[in-house]
Amino acid sequence: MRFASSLSTHPVTAHATGEVIGQVIEQIGRFPDLAVLFVTRPHAGALEDAADTVSRLLEPTVLIGCAAESVVGNQREIEQAPAVSLWAGLTGPIMPVRLSAEFEGSEADDELAGLPGIGHPTPQIAGWPEEPAFEPQALILLADPYSFPVDQLLHGLQSEHPGLPVVGGMASAALGPGGNRLVLDQRMFTDGAVGALIGSGVSVSTVVSQGCRPIGRPLAVTRSERNIIYELAGQPALQRLLQMAKEGMSERDIQLINQGLHLGVVIDEHKVDFGRGDFLIRNVIGADRSNGAIAVGDAVEVGTTVQFHVRDAEAADEDLRELLADRRADGVLLFTCNGRGSRLFEKPDHDAGLIGDLLDDPPVAGFFAAGEVGPVGGHNFVHGFTASMALFEERSSSPAQGNAMVVEG
């Protein structure tokens, strides 16, 4: 066994940390290449102490972690209650990453930022290693949503490292700037992002379950401006939606539309037919009856093919089951939306339980994120209401324990 995970719901941080470390050592011993630590809000204030204990007793090559509103451990999801989750693996070559957003300009520029017509300066991302010591095959990323522009990082990586999958989530313990806690080895941060670049010692694949199903048919955007869609296939967007409702849409779908409508944006326009995994799901955030326009949570260009989607527990369950069918994993990191769990499903532990059932109960850890990161259609995106995961699989030629490479970035 090369992967391990453990969970403790003890309310005292020191006791819970000791429990999870002991369980991991029993499973794979000390000195893993990567250790990942997640704690819920009641333990957030002691996260630095917990990370220090993990570093001293388990001695991983790289340790990353964060505080979150809820965490995942094996087949359990502990929602808004005291819990510590620890995952560890023998991954081979690994490299820690600490990223921050730096704003260029003078104090006078800062005073002008936010005034009408001026806005805020574009941050520069600092900390990415210029010359990794190995060819990375994946990046596990944990970020603070209030201070770090993940979209900008993903856009840059698409140019500099095309094809590199990024999987992770936004820390969710805080309700405002400065409240989140991120861990990299024995250092704690309240902003930016931390992560780990994974080398070739294990195979890493990704699954992003967006949990939606399409309604109606694909339509071309014929008039739009930024995130406002005025026309679909030559007609007002809202009129197209109302027309769909009149043409035999089920009462259930109409009910789901009223609860929250989504738009699937086609990623690869070269395809003829579109199915699961071909759409990037974005929320419909408003509509204007006076001109028939709809507002979407992302920019949508003219010529883009889109299709309306709805989401419910049944669709989310079906989507995750289909994506995990015929997959296998020896270890899993799961980043599920804080809008899933018992908020979406009738029973608790849905995502973690389904992973365990379908993948033969691999070691699983993760947390409920304030935004999930993962690739869809070969491109990395920030998502909402998704379950994004990294599936680790042993290679027969994986390096032996202790052969990991570490380079400070």
Side-chain angles (χ1 to χ4, degrees):
M1 179 183 294
R2 301 179 64 88
F3 299 91
S5 63
S6 56
L7 177 73
S8 174
T9 57
H10 198 283
V12 177
T13 306
H15 190 108
T17 304
E19 282 188 348
V20 296
I21 294 173
Q23 293 170 24
V24 165
I25 291 176
E26 287 180 1
Q27 295 174 59
I28 62 171
R30 297 168 62 218
F31 313 112
D33 301 316
L34 175 64
V36 187
L37 175 67
F38 302 119
V39 305
T40 55
R41 286 177 181 141
H43 295 298
L47 177 56
E48 189 171 13
D49 293 336
D52 179 72
T53 303
V54 172
S55 293
R56 288 187 294 103
L57 299 184
L58 193 59
E59 296 191 58
T61 305
V62 174
L63 167 66
I64 61 174
C66 71
E69 67 145 33
S70 306
V71 300
V72 176
N74 291 318
Q75 294 198 36
R76 297 186 64 192
E77 298 173 3
I78 308 300
E79 300 187 44
Q80 303 183 49
V84 174
S85 179
L86 179 64
W87 184 96
L90 300 170
T91 63
I94 192 166
M95 184 175 186
V97 176
R98 161 60 183 164
L99 303 172
S100 61
E102 298 183 353
F103 293 86
E104 297 180 352
S106 65
E107 293 183 3
D109 294 332
D110 293 338
E111 292 177 0
L112 291 173
L115 293 178
I118 296 178
H120 293 273
T122 301
Q124 300 297 315
I125 295 176
W128 184 261
E130 294 185 2
E131 295 183 6
F134 55 84
E135 185 66 29
Q137 65 162 321
L139 169 65
I140 307 300
L141 183 73
L142 310 176
D144 171 47
Y146 299 104
S147 63
F148 190 74
V150 175
D151 279 325
Q152 184 176 332
L153 170 69
L154 300 181
H155 180 74
L157 290 179
Q158 187 64 35
S159 300
E160 299 296 328
H161 298 276
L164 176 69
V166 182
V167 182
M170 308 288 208
S172 58
L175 301 177
N180 277 312
R181 300 289 184 269
L182 305 172
V183 163
L184 179 62
D185 297 327
Q186 292 175 294
R187 296 174 290 169
M188 193 176 73
F189 306 92
T190 59
D191 62 3
V194 299
L197 284 168
I198 310 297
S200 60
V202 291
S203 173
V204 182
S205 58
T206 62
V207 170
V208 177
S209 175
Q210 299 184 86
C212 283
R213 60 178 172 83
I215 57 175
R217 60 184 178 84
L219 299 166
V221 176
T222 50
R223 184 183 167 214
S224 67
E225 182 178 350
R226 296 183 181 179
N227 70 318
I228 306 298
I229 300 177
Y230 292 97
E231 292 184 358
L232 291 174
Q235 292 186 18
L238 190 56
Q239 180 178 328
R240 282 287 185 187
L241 180 62
L242 295 175
Q243 181 181 352
M244 286 168 46
K246 294 178 181 179
E247 291 177 350
M249 186 181 295
S250 70
E251 291 185 6
R252 176 58 177 163
D253 284 348
I254 293 175
Q255 181 183 12
L256 291 174
I257 288 174
N258 291 328
Q259 294 176 358
L261 181 63
H262 308 275
L263 192 72
V265 181
V266 166
I267 300 170
D268 185 359
E269 293 284 355
H270 294 94
K271 289 190 174 183
V272 177
D273 298 313
F274 307 111
R276 195 182 305 272
D278 293 326
F279 294 96
L280 175 64
I281 305 299
R282 291 295 184 246
N283 291 343
V284 175
I285 58 178
D288 187 341
R289 291 184 178 275
S290 65
N291 59 11
I294 61 172
V296 185
D298 205 345
V300 183
E301 298 181 355
V302 171
T304 302
T305 303
V306 300
Q307 188 168 0
F308 289 110
H309 282 66
V310 292
R311 177 187 280 118
D312 62 0
E314 182 179 347
D317 177 84
E318 176 188 331
D319 187 66
L320 185 55
R321 286 180 182 276
E322 183 169 323
L323 289 170
L324 291 178
D326 301 322
R327 303 295 291 267
R328 70 175 305 272
D330 299 306
V332 178
L333 288 175
L334 168 65
F335 308 93
T336 190
C337 179
N338 53 23
R340 292 172 70 102
S342 61
R343 293 181 177 94
L344 178 62
F345 302 100
E346 293 183 357
K347 296 181 179 180
D349 309 323
H350 177 273
D351 291 345
L354 199 56
I355 291 171
D357 291 344
L358 297 181
L359 300 183
D360 196 23
D361 198 20
V364 179
F367 71 97
F368 283 38
E372 308 78 57
V373 181
V376 175
H379 296 266
N380 296 304
F381 299 100
V382 179
H383 308 275
F385 289 97
T386 68
S388 180
M389 63 203 80
L391 309 182
F392 293 80
E393 196 172 342
E394 297 179 12
R395 294 185 189 271
S396 58
S397 59
S398 293
Q401 179 174 343
N403 286 349
M405 180 184 303
V406 59
V407 180
E408 290 292 342

